[in-house]
Amino acid sequence: MGSSSLIVLALAAIVFSAGAMIVSRIFVKRTTNPQKGEPYECGIPTEGSPWKQFSVGYYLFALIFLIFDVELIFLYPWAVVVKRVGWTSLIEIIIFFFILFMGFLYAHKKGALKWM
Amino acid sequence: MIEELMTTEQGDLVINVGPQHPSTHGVLHLVITLNGETIKKVEPHLGYIHRSIEKMCESLSFRQFIYVTSRMDYLSSHINNHGCALCVEKGLQIEVPPRGQVIRVLMDELTRIASHVLWWGALAMDVGAITPFFYAFREREAINDIMEETCGARLTMNYMVPGGVMFDLHPNFQKKVHEFIQLFKSKVDEYDELLTNNVIFKARTRGIGMLSYEDAISYGCSGPTARASGVHCDIRKLYPYEVYSGLQFEEIIESGCDSYARYVVRMKEMRQSLSIVEQLIDNIPEGDFQAKTKAVLKLPKGEFYSRVETARGEFGVYIVSEGGMTPYRIKFRSPGFSNLSALDHMARGQKIGDLVAIMGSLDLVIPDIDR
Amino acid sequence: MSNEELKSVLSGFNPGLTFEESGEWLVANVEPGEFLSLAKQIRNNESLSFDYLFCLTCIDWKTHLTMVYHLTSTSFRHHLVIKSKLDSSRPEIETVSNIWKTADFHEREVAELFGVNFLNHPDLRKLILPDEWSGFPLRKNYEDPVNMIKL
Amino acid sequence: MWNLAGISESIQNGLNRALSPAWALTVEMIIVGISVIGLFAVLGLILVIMERKVSAYMQVRLGPNRVGPKGMLQSLADTVKLLVKEGLTPDKADKFLFNLAPFIAMIASMLLLVPIGFAKNFQIWDLNIGVLYLAAISSVSVISILMAGWSSNNKYSLLGAMRSGAQIVSYELSAGFSILAIVILSGSLRISDIVMAQENGWWIFKGHIPVLIAFVIFLVAVTAETNRAPFDLAEAESELTAGFHTEYSGMKFALFFLAEYVNVFIVCGIGATLFLGGWMPLHIGTWKAFNHIMDYIPSSIWFFGKTFFLIFVIMWFRWTFPRLRIDQLLNLEWKYLLPISMVNILLITLVAIMQWHF
C-alpha cells in the first residue's frame, strides 16, 4: 500500500467518527436546559475555574521524559546494527547509559522524581 | 526551587467530592482543597439525608421509636435496635429472659459479620479492586437469607422489642447458621488471599491515614477505628450487656494506627464474631424469648443512657423521660459522626486517592452520621 | 474512682457544683461561666483525666436549655456527666473543641439544631442544615408546617 | 478461507485487470478504508462483550445474557443506545478542543493499525521502520486525553488528564526499551522481519530470561499506557468519577471508549508480534514434522489467538488488582521498571553479541 495508507486510515478515522456523530445527531432529540451546560462536580456548582496555575508536579515528569525519549530514539538505529558491530556497540552503549544515568541520578537527587 | 514551586498556594483547587460521587457511599459531601494531588483540607458538609430522627422519636411511643433507628445505621440496624431496647429496658427495669438474650446476641453478631463483609467489599472497590465487592455480597446474601427467615426482613430487621425479641427463631435457623459457619470459614481465608496480602493493597493502606492513640481518644473515635489505634474501647468487653460477659472472644487491638490496621481489626473481628456465633448456636436456652411487658410502656421520669457496640463503634442512646408515653428527648450518639470528625486530620497531606481509602477504612454509613 | 471520691475532687475545683446521683452516673451541675475552667481541670488532672467525651448534647426544657456532656476516662474508666443550664433566649457557653476535638462537630450540630452559641468555636458554620435555614429544629417550640409531619 | 493474503491478492489482481492502475489503487484504498472501519467496529463490539464476560466470570456472575444468544449482542445494543444519546458540551468548555479530542483519539488508534501483520503477507503497509512508527504514533493518544481533560472545564477531568499525561509518557519509556530488546535480537525495525526472525521459535522462548523480563515489563507498561486498571488513574472512578471523560456523553464518549479498546487490541497485537511470533505458528527449532503440522493452522488464527490471549491477561489484571496511587505508579516506573529495563538492554546486547539465543 505504501505511505498513502496513512492518509487513507486517517481519513477513515475521520469519516467513521464524523459519521457516527452525524448519525447520532439525526436521532437525538435535543433539549436545552441551563443546568445541562454546567460542569459535573457531584451536583454542586463548581467553585472557581480549573483553568489556572496548576501543581508543577505533573510537568516535571514530562520534562524528564523528554530527555529519555530523545535518548530512546538514538537507540533505535543502534539496536538495528548491534549484531553487525559486535563488541564495540556494547561498550558504546555502556558509555551512553552511564552519561544518561548520571543525569537521571541528578534529577533524582534534586527531588524531581519525588511526588509532592 | 522545586519544593517552592510545589507548595505555592496559587495552584490550589477546591473540589467537591459528593454528594453524588461513587466512593462516598451515600450522600456525604466533602469539599477538599487540593494542591496537585495533595490534600490540604477536607471539610465535610452533612445533612443530605438528615431526617431529624431525634425529633421524630419525640412523638413516637417507646415501642415505636425503636423501629425508626433501623434507618440510621442500616448496616447494623439490629444492633441499633438493641441499644434502644436496652435503654427502654433499663428505664423499666425489665429482665430479658435468657433465650431472648442469646437470640439478640446471635443476631447482633450475624449483623456485624454482614456489615463487615459489605465494608470489605466496599473498601476494595474504593481502592480500585472491583471483584471483591461481588464476593462480599455472595456471603452477605447467606446472612440476609437467615435473617429473612426469622425476622421477615433482610436489611431493617425490626426484630427487637422491649423485653426480648419479636418472634421465636425459625425452625431452620440453627441448621442454616451451621451451614453458614462452614461456608464463611473458608471464605474469610479467601478474602485474605484476595486482598489482605496483595502488594498494591498494602502499599495503598500502610502508613496512610494515621490516627494516633491520643487523637483517636480526643476525636471520640470508637469501634474498629479506635481499636486500630490501640484504644481499648469495645463496649462488649468494657461494659458487657446481655450474655457477652459469659462468652469467649477477644477484643482486637492493633497498634498500626493506619488504614491497614483498621482493615486488619475488622478482618479479625469477623472471625471473632463467627466464634461467638459458634459458641451460642448450640446453646440457645429454652424458655421465653420475650419478657412480659405492659401494652403501653411508660418510662419513669429520669435520664437513661445505654450503649452497645455496633459494627462501626459505640452507639449510645440517651433518653430523657418525663414519665409520659413518649420520650421527652432522645439523643443518639452515633459512632460514624465522631469517626468522621477525624477525617480531616487523617487526610491532610495525603493524596486524593488516599482520601478514598481512608474513608473506606472508616466505614462511614451516611444515615448514621446524618440521623 | 468512686462517685464519692469524684465529688470531693470536683468540689475542690469548684465549690459551687451541685451533684445528682439518682441516675447511672454522677451528674455535676455547673454554671455556664465556670464550665470552661472545670472542663480544662478535669481533662488535665492526672487522677481524673476525663479524656473521652463520648456524648455531647442539649435538652430543651422550654424554660431553659441544658447542655449535657458525657465524659469518661480511658485510663480509669470512671464516668461523669456535666450539665449546664443555659438561658433559652440567649444560650451561650464556651466551646470545648480545643479540649476534646470531637466536640467540634458535636457543638456545630447542637448550635444549629438548638441555637446554642459556642463562644470561641473555630468554625461555627452550619454543618447539617442548609446555610439559609432559620430556626432551630430540635427546640420544642419549633414549627415547620412544610417539612414536619404530625403523627 | 482463512488465507487472508490470498484474498487480498486476488482482489488486487482482479482490480488491476478490470481498471486502470490509478483507479485500481483508488478502489483499493476505499476497500482498505472500509475494511479498517469494519475491523474497528467489530473489534469494539467483541472486546466490550469480552470484557463483560471475563469480568462476569471472575466475579461469579453471569454477565449480559438477554440480548441475543448468551447476551452476545449486548454491546451492539449499547452502541445503539449511545448513538441515540445526546452528546453534551459544557457551556464553559473550550468547544473546539472538546469536540476535536475524540477525533484525535480515533485517528491515533487507527493509524496504529498500519504496520501490524494480521496474517502472513497481510499487512496494510510493511514499512521499514515499523516498530519506530508504532512507538511514535502511540504517543499521540496522550494528546487527545490531555485535550479532553483540559477543554472540559471540569476539575476532575483536568486532574485525570494531568495524571495520564505524567503516566503515559513515563511508561512509554519502559515500553520503548522492551521493544528495543526485540529490535536488538532481530536486527530490524521492519515488522515482517521481526516475525520472520521467529521462524524457528518465538523470542519469548529463544531469548532466555532477559526477554522474559522485557515481556513482563512490556505487559505492565502497555497496561499503564492504555489506562487500564490497575493503572487506570486517568479515569479512576472511585476518586475522579470518570476522570478525563467525565463531561463526555453520547457518541463522543463512545469514540473514546472505542479508541481505548482498540488501543488495547493494538498493544496486545504488538506484544504478540514482538514476543510471541505474531502470525508465525508455534515452531520448535528443527522439528520439521511438528512445524509442518503447526503450519496447517492458518496464520491469521495464530495472530488473533495470541492477541486475544494477551487481551485476556490484561483483562485479568483489571479485575484482580486494586489501583495504584499516582506517586506509587510513577515510582514503579522511574525507580524500578526504567533502571531494570536499562540493565536488561545491556544483557540483551550481550546475548545478541554472543549469539546465546537459539
Side-chain angles (χ1 to χ4, degrees):
Chain A
M1 273 295 290
S3 55
S4 56
S5 63
L6 297 185
I7 300 160
V8 172
L9 288 196
L11 273 177
I14 292 168
V15 167
F16 180 77
S17 320
M21 283 199 192
I22 290 165
V23 169
S24 86
R25 214 160 246 249
I26 293 166
F27 285 120
V28 167
K29 186 170 163 273
R30 293 196 156 259
T31 54
T32 46
N33 176 344
Q35 264 156 8
K36 268 175 135 178
E38 278 177 22
Y40 172 79
E41 210 175 303
C42 296
I44 302 291
T46 178
E47 194 180 310
S49 166
W51 291 343
K52 58 179 187 183
Q53 201 175 13
F54 202 69
S55 168
V56 76
Y58 301 93
Y59 305 109
L60 283 174
F61 285 93
L63 283 176
I64 307 166
F65 158 75
L66 212 63
I67 306 163
F68 273 83
D69 206 34
V70 170
E71 159 255 358
L72 202 60
I73 289 166
F74 285 132
L75 285 182
Y76 277 96
W78 165 82
V80 176
V81 294
V82 165
K83 279 188 174 171
R84 259 176 281 156
V85 177
W87 285 105
T88 335
S89 68
L90 183 65
I91 293 157
E92 278 169 3
I93 203 66
I94 288 172
I95 296 167
F96 187 80
F97 273 3
F98 178 75
I99 296 168
L100 192 76
F101 211 75
M102 285 293 118
F104 180 70
L105 283 182
Y106 176 74
H108 184 67
K109 194 108 198 221
K110 274 272 167 188
L113 296 178
K114 210 170 112 223
W115 187 267
M116 307 278 286
Chain B
M1 167 70 176
I2 289 163
E3 280 175 27
E4 263 171 47
L5 278 173
M6 281 177 166
T7 47
T8 171
E9 287 221 347
Q10 283 171 313
D12 286 2
L13 273 184
V14 180
I15 294 194
N16 291 296
V17 174
Q20 291 150 28
H21 190 276
S23 66
T24 53
H25 304 303
V27 282
L28 179 64
H29 176 197
L30 303 172
V31 180
I32 54 178
T33 311
L34 286 179
N35 181 301
E37 292 267 339
T38 312
I39 293 167
K40 286 185 140 182
K41 200 165 78 177
V42 180
E43 254 182 83
H45 288 204
L46 305 175
Y48 285 90
I49 39 172
H50 195 278
R51 295 144 293 180
S52 211
I53 286 181
E54 290 172 10
K55 182 91 175 173
M56 243 191 263
C57 290
E58 288 174 12
S59 54
L60 294 173
S61 80
F62 285 109
R63 277 187 195 284
Q64 288 169 330
F65 88 92
I66 294 176
Y67 307 130
V68 185
T69 59
S70 297
R71 276 80 184 166
M72 286 166 40
D73 183 352
Y74 51 78
L75 289 181
S76 43
S77 57
H78 195 268
I79 312 179
N80 284 357
N81 294 349
H82 197 165
C84 301
L86 278 179
C87 200
V88 175
E89 282 153 16
K90 203 178 248 178
L92 293 169
Q93 291 176 329
I94 304 171
E95 184 70 25
V96 180
R99 185 177 174 84
Q101 294 196 10
V102 170
I103 294 175
R104 280 179 170 189
V105 170
L106 264 174
M107 289 297 188
D108 273 7
E109 295 307 318
L110 285 175
T111 311
R112 197 183 313 278
I113 295 173
S115 169
H116 280 354
V117 165
L118 180 65
W119 153 83
W120 177 77
L123 174 66
M125 204 150 81
D126 284 341
V127 295
I130 299 157
T131 305
F133 194 65
F134 292 89
Y135 287 78
F137 261 85
R138 186 181 56 186
E139 273 72 70
R140 195 179 140 77
E141 276 306 287
I143 299 177
N144 280 353
D145 287 344
I146 295 172
M147 297 286 186
E148 189 184 7
E149 261 187 349
T150 297
C151 318
R154 294 163 69 84
L155 193 66
T156 52
M157 271 84 82
N158 300 337
Y159 187 48
M160 291 278 182
V161 289
V165 291
M166 201 181 264
F167 327 102
D168 205 354
L169 291 173
H170 192 272
N172 282 345
F173 182 77
Q174 273 173 307
K175 193 180 105 227
K176 283 217 166 176
V177 171
H178 275 299
E179 280 168 15
F180 171 74
I181 291 169
Q182 288 312 314
L183 170 88
F184 196 69
K185 270 186 180 160
S186 61
K187 297 301 179 194
V188 176
D189 297 336
E190 198 179 292
Y191 294 172
D192 280 342
E193 278 170 36
L194 252 175
L195 207 59
T196 314
N197 300 322
N198 187 304
V199 185
I200 301 176
F201 179 74
K202 277 186 182 167
R204 283 295 303 276
T205 47
R206 281 227 168 126
I208 300 300
M210 298 301 281
L211 183 70
S212 66
Y213 177 82
E214 287 76 23
D215 282 329
I217 293 173
S218 182
Y219 276 109
C221 296
S222 54
T225 309
R227 286 199 282 280
S229 302
V231 183
H232 180 50
C233 65
D234 193 332
I235 305 293
R236 295 174 295 172
K237 277 279 182 203
L238 287 176
Y239 316 104
Y241 49 99
E242 310 291 17
V243 293
Y244 277 117
S245 50
L247 290 172
Q248 295 286 321
F249 70 99
E250 276 174 44
E251 179 182 358
I252 311 294
I253 292 182
E254 288 281 323
S255 51
C257 303
D258 53 4
S259 295
Y260 190 72
R262 292 189 277 276
Y263 173 86
V264 170
V265 167
R266 287 198 178 86
M267 291 308 276
K268 287 186 179 166
E269 263 186 21
M270 278 197 241
R271 290 196 165 91
Q272 291 299 325
S273 293
L274 198 68
S275 99
I276 293 176
V277 173
E278 260 185 312
Q279 289 169 42
L280 287 177
I281 188 65
D282 289 324
N283 301 314
I284 306 175
E286 294 298 319
D288 287 339
F289 52 87
Q290 193 182 345
K292 294 270 179 297
T293 46
K294 287 181 193 146
V296 176
L297 300 179
K298 278 188 183 173
L299 255 65
K301 190 168 167 22
E303 293 171 7
F304 309 98
Y305 194 100
S306 75
R307 30 191 187 167
V308 289
E309 180 78 14
T310 73
R312 262 146 285 278
E314 175 184 338
F315 175 70
V317 183
Y318 177 49
I319 298 183
V320 180
S321 172
E322 281 285 80
M325 281 161 61
T326 59
Y328 184 76
R329 160 102 175 103
I330 280 196
K331 157 81 183 172
F332 297 114
R333 187 265 185 218
S334 65
F337 192 70
S338 303
N339 290 354
L340 177 73
S341 67
L343 179 65
D344 179 40
H345 173 76
M346 292 156 92
R348 279 192 191 199
Q350 310 283 6
K351 309 282 178 295
I352 184 168
D354 293 332
L355 173 73
V356 175
I358 293 170
M359 281 199 296
S361 74
L362 284 179
D363 195 10
L364 302 173
V365 169
I366 311 307
D368 179 41
I369 295 163
D370 272 357
R371 298 190 300 286
Chain C
M1 208 181 265
S2 73
N3 281 359
E4 289 307 314
E5 286 169 312
L6 275 179
K7 265 205 250 181
S8 63
V9 177
L10 289 171
S11 304
F13 292 147
N14 187 339
L17 293 178
T18 54
F19 296 101
E20 293 167 36
E21 277 186 280
S22 55
E24 194 179 353
W25 298 314
L26 179 71
V27 179
N29 290 306
V30 66
E31 288 297 313
E34 290 154 7
F35 170 67
L36 185 66
S37 66
L38 179 74
K40 274 186 185 150
Q41 278 165 322
I42 60 170
R43 169 69 183 81
N44 296 328
N45 185 298
E46 277 176 14
S47 63
L48 295 176
S49 111
F50 281 105
D51 49 5
Y52 193 65
L53 176 70
F54 62 92
C55 188
L56 185 161
T57 190
C58 182
I59 304 165
D60 181 15
W61 292 105
K62 289 174 186 152
T63 51
H64 61 272
L65 298 169
T66 307
M67 284 300 298
V68 186
Y69 299 82
H70 286 79
L71 291 160
T72 186
S73 160
T74 51
S75 33
F76 303 114
R77 298 288 162 201
H78 46 220
H79 290 79
L80 177 69
V81 183
I82 297 181
K83 288 188 181 176
S84 189
K85 254 190 192 181
L86 308 181
D87 183 16
S88 80
S89 58
R90 229 175 116 250
E92 274 182 349
I93 193 163
E94 280 285 337
T95 177
V96 286
S97 59
N98 44 1
I99 303 171
W100 298 284
K101 288 175 192 161
T102 182
D104 183 359
F105 270 35
H106 280 94
E107 282 177 354
R108 278 172 78 176
E109 191 192 14
V110 169
E112 56 189 303
L113 298 179
F114 286 94
V116 178
N117 183 20
F118 289 93
L119 303 168
N120 299 327
H121 190 284
D123 181 22
L124 208 57
R125 285 173 303 159
K126 289 223 182 340
L127 178 69
I128 293 168
L129 299 172
D131 287 341
E132 62 278 2
W133 191 278
S134 63
F136 307 111
L138 279 186
R139 291 250 187 134
K140 289 284 177 187
N141 60 2
Y142 180 77
E143 285 297 330
D144 184 349
V146 183
N147 295 316
M148 262 166 75
I149 301 160
K150 279 269 177 323
L151 288 168
Chain D
M1 174 185 177
W2 293 104
N3 190 356
L4 293 178
I7 297 171
S8 68
E9 208 165 298
S10 60
I11 290 174
Q12 195 174 9
N13 290 342
L15 284 173
N16 278 332
R17 241 176 289 137
L19 303 161
S20 66
W23 275 107
L25 192 65
T26 316
V27 173
E28 228 175 84
M29 279 179 176
I30 291 168
I31 291 174
V32 167
I34 289 169
S35 49
V36 163
I37 289 175
L39 178 76
F40 230 70
V42 170
L43 270 181
L45 296 182
I46 290 175
L47 288 177
V48 172
I49 196 77
M50 178 174 166
E51 173 104 87
R52 297 184 67 170
K53 282 288 182 187
V54 167
S55 70
Y57 170 70
M58 291 187 179
Q59 297 167 351
V60 285
R61 56 192 176 89
L62 287 175
N65 54 11
R66 294 298 163 94
V67 189
K70 299 213 166 192
M72 286 304 165
L73 299 180
Q74 182 66 49
S75 47
L76 194 66
D78 288 346
T79 315
V80 173
K81 185 203 78 173
L82 282 172
L83 201 64
V84 295
K85 283 234 165 187
E86 185 179 349
L88 290 174
T89 309
D91 284 343
K92 285 185 187 156
D94 187 326
K95 295 208 170 61
F96 176 68
L97 291 182
F98 185 82
N99 288 311
L100 186 66
F103 281 89
I104 305 257
M106 286 295 281
I107 292 171
S109 57
M110 206 169 263
L111 283 180
L112 279 175
L113 285 173
V114 167
I116 290 179
F118 293 98
K120 200 174 183 179
N121 299 328
F122 189 79
Q123 232 172 322
I124 295 173
W125 181 22
D126 188 15
L127 72 174
N128 55 0
I129 49 157
V131 173
L132 188 60
Y133 171 86
L134 286 173
I137 298 291
S138 63
S139 341
V140 176
S141 66
V142 69
I143 295 175
S144 73
I145 290 177
L146 276 175
M147 212 183 246
W150 186 82
S151 67
S152 297
N153 193 7
N154 179 315
K155 289 166 192 166
Y156 292 127
S157 304
L158 183 71
L159 272 176
M162 285 298 177
R163 279 178 175 191
S164 76
Q167 171 193 338
I168 294 179
V169 297
S170 299
Y171 277 81
E172 209 148 88
L173 297 177
S174 310
F177 274 117
S178 307
I179 293 173
L180 211 59
I182 299 301
V183 175
I184 292 172
L185 289 171
S186 310
S188 172
L189 291 168
R190 192 188 287 270
I191 294 279
S192 57
D193 288 349
I194 290 174
V195 175
M196 286 315 286
Q198 305 180 60
E199 203 172 14
N200 57 349
W202 305 340
W203 278 126
I204 194 162
F205 300 133
K206 289 201 299 180
H208 303 294
I209 291 164
V211 172
L212 263 179
I213 296 172
F215 181 61
V216 172
I217 291 176
F218 180 81
L219 267 188
V220 173
V222 296
T223 314
E225 260 198 84
T226 46
N227 275 328
R228 287 183 62 86
F231 308 105
D232 59 342
L233 285 148
E235 47 201 277
E237 81 280 344
S238 63
E239 298 153 30
L240 304 177
T241 60
F244 70 92
H245 58 56
T246 305
E247 293 293 348
Y248 283 85
S249 54
M251 217 52 221
K252 287 175 213 162
F253 165 73
L255 291 178
F256 266 120
F257 203 59
L258 185 62
E260 185 192 319
Y261 275 100
V262 175
N263 276 338
V264 171
F265 173 82
I266 288 164
V267 293
C268 289
I270 296 169
T273 309
L274 297 179
F275 295 93
L276 303 177
W279 50 260
M280 188 60 76
L282 178 62
H283 286 174
I284 299 177
T286 49
W287 298 11
K288 284 256 169 60
F290 178 81
N291 293 350
H292 202 62
I293 293 167
M294 284 295 157
D295 283 340
Y296 275 107
I297 302 174
S299 56
S300 54
I301 291 196
W302 279 107
F303 175 77
F304 282 101
K306 288 168 192 173
T307 307
F308 274 89
F309 168 71
L310 288 184
I311 292 173
F312 173 75
V313 171
I314 282 187
M315 285 179 181
W316 193 356
F317 287 167
R318 171 163 183 182
W319 298 109
T320 330
F321 288 123
R323 183 183 302 116
L324 275 93
R325 207 171 54 211
I326 180 80
D327 57 327
Q328 291 166 349
L329 178 99
L330 294 168
N331 262 350
L332 175 69
E333 163 65 20
W334 291 99
K335 304 227 169 109
Y336 298 96
L337 294 187
L338 191 66
I340 291 174
S341 347
M342 282 167 79
V343 173
N344 199 34
I345 284 287
L346 296 180
L347 278 179
I348 291 216
T349 317
L350 200 66
V351 168
I353 294 169
M354 298 295 284
Q355 296 285 331
W356 279 339
H357 60 84
F358 300 111

